[in-house]
Amino acid sequence: DDAAVGRTLAELNLRVRTGATALAIHREGSDTTTPAPHDPLRAGDILTLTGSDAALAAALALLQRGTIE
């Protein structure tokens, strides 16, 4: 499973740790939503992110593995 499932964007500290910004969450069965910092991420969520190539790579690593390194 992805390391981010069940955690919030605030817990992950995504923007500060990676430089990427989450613009939207696409969830099955619902319209695209603006991500709230304290809503837990769910399995199957698709995040729309913006940032530099390095920031997006770091965000992907953080969301999938729980670490940037």
Side-chain angles (χ1 to χ4, degrees), residues 9-55:
L9 293 174
E11 283 178 83
L12 294 167
N13 207 9
L14 183 77
R15 186 181 308 173
V16 171
R17 291 178 68 191
T18 69
T21 301
L23 300 176
I25 297 177
H26 308 273
R27 286 200 168 126
E28 188 175 334
S30 69
D31 293 330
T32 301
T33 61
T34 303
H38 300 290
D39 287 339
L41 297 174
R42 302 178 194 166
D45 280 355
I46 299 172
L47 294 176
T48 300
L49 303 172
T50 189
S52 67
D53 289 344

